[in-house]
Coordinates of all heavy atoms in Angstrom, one line a residue:
D138 N -84.3 -157.7 -78.6 CA -83.3 -158.7 -79.0 C -83.9 -160.1 -79.2 O -83.2 -161.1 -79.1 CB -82.2 -158.7 -78.0 CG -82.6 -159.0 -76.5 OD1 -83.8 -159.2 -76.4 OD2 -81.8 -158.9 -75.6
H139 N -85.2 -160.1 -79.4 CA -85.9 -161.4 -79.4 C -86.4 -161.8 -80.8 O -86.8 -162.9 -81.0 CB -87.2 -161.3 -78.5 CG -87.9 -159.9 -78.6 ND1 -87.4 -158.8 -77.8 CD2 -88.9 -159.4 -79.4 CE1 -88.2 -157.7 -78.1 NE2 -89.0 -158.0 -79.1
M140 N -86.3 -160.9 -81.8 CA -86.6 -161.1 -83.2 C -85.8 -160.3 -84.0 O -85.1 -159.3 -83.6 CB -88.2 -160.7 -83.4 CG -89.2 -161.5 -82.7 SD -90.9 -161.0 -82.9 CE -90.9 -159.6 -81.8
P141 N -85.7 -160.6 -85.4 CA -85.0 -159.8 -86.3 C -85.7 -158.5 -86.6 O -86.9 -158.3 -86.3 CB -84.9 -160.6 -87.6 CG -86.1 -161.5 -87.5 CD -86.3 -161.8 -86.0
W142 N -84.8 -157.5 -87.0 CA -85.4 -156.2 -87.4 C -86.2 -156.3 -88.7 O -85.8 -157.0 -89.5 CB -84.2 -155.0 -87.5 CG -84.8 -153.7 -87.6 CD1 -85.0 -152.8 -86.6 CD2 -85.0 -153.1 -88.8 NE1 -85.4 -151.6 -87.2 CE2 -85.4 -151.7 -88.6 CE3 -84.9 -153.4 -90.2 CZ2 -85.7 -150.8 -89.4 CZ3 -85.3 -152.5 -91.1 CH2 -85.7 -151.1 -90.8
P143 N -87.3 -155.5 -88.8 CA -88.0 -154.6 -87.9 C -89.0 -155.3 -86.9 O -89.6 -154.5 -86.1 CB -88.7 -153.7 -88.8 CG -89.1 -154.6 -90.0 CD -88.0 -155.5 -90.2
A144 N -89.2 -156.6 -86.9 CA -90.1 -157.2 -86.1 C -89.8 -157.0 -84.6 O -90.7 -157.0 -83.8 CB -90.2 -158.7 -86.4
C145 N -88.5 -156.8 -84.3 CA -88.1 -156.6 -82.9 C -88.5 -155.3 -82.4 O -88.5 -155.0 -81.1 CB -86.6 -156.8 -82.8 SG -85.6 -155.4 -83.7
G146 N -88.9 -154.3 -83.2 CA -89.3 -153.0 -82.8 C -88.0 -152.1 -82.6 O -86.9 -152.6 -82.3
E147 N -88.2 -150.8 -82.8 CA -87.2 -149.8 -82.7 C -87.8 -148.5 -82.1 O -88.9 -148.1 -82.6 CB -86.5 -149.5 -84.1 CG -85.5 -148.4 -84.0 CD -84.9 -148.1 -85.4 OE1 -84.9 -149.0 -86.2 OE2 -84.4 -147.0 -85.6
I148 N -87.2 -148.0 -81.1 CA -87.5 -146.8 -80.5 C -86.4 -145.8 -80.6 O -85.3 -146.0 -80.1 CB -87.9 -146.9 -79.0 CG1 -89.0 -148.0 -78.8 CG2 -88.3 -145.5 -78.4 CD1 -89.1 -148.4 -77.3
D149 N -86.6 -144.7 -81.4 CA -85.5 -143.7 -81.6 C -85.9 -142.5 -80.7 O -86.7 -141.6 -81.0 CB -85.5 -143.2 -83.1 CG -85.2 -144.3 -84.0 OD1 -84.3 -145.2 -83.7 OD2 -85.8 -144.5 -85.1

Side-chain angles (χ1 to χ4, degrees):
D138 56 7
H139 38 273
M140 292 176 286
W142 189 89
C145 65
E147 175 178 335
I148 305 169
D149 298 322

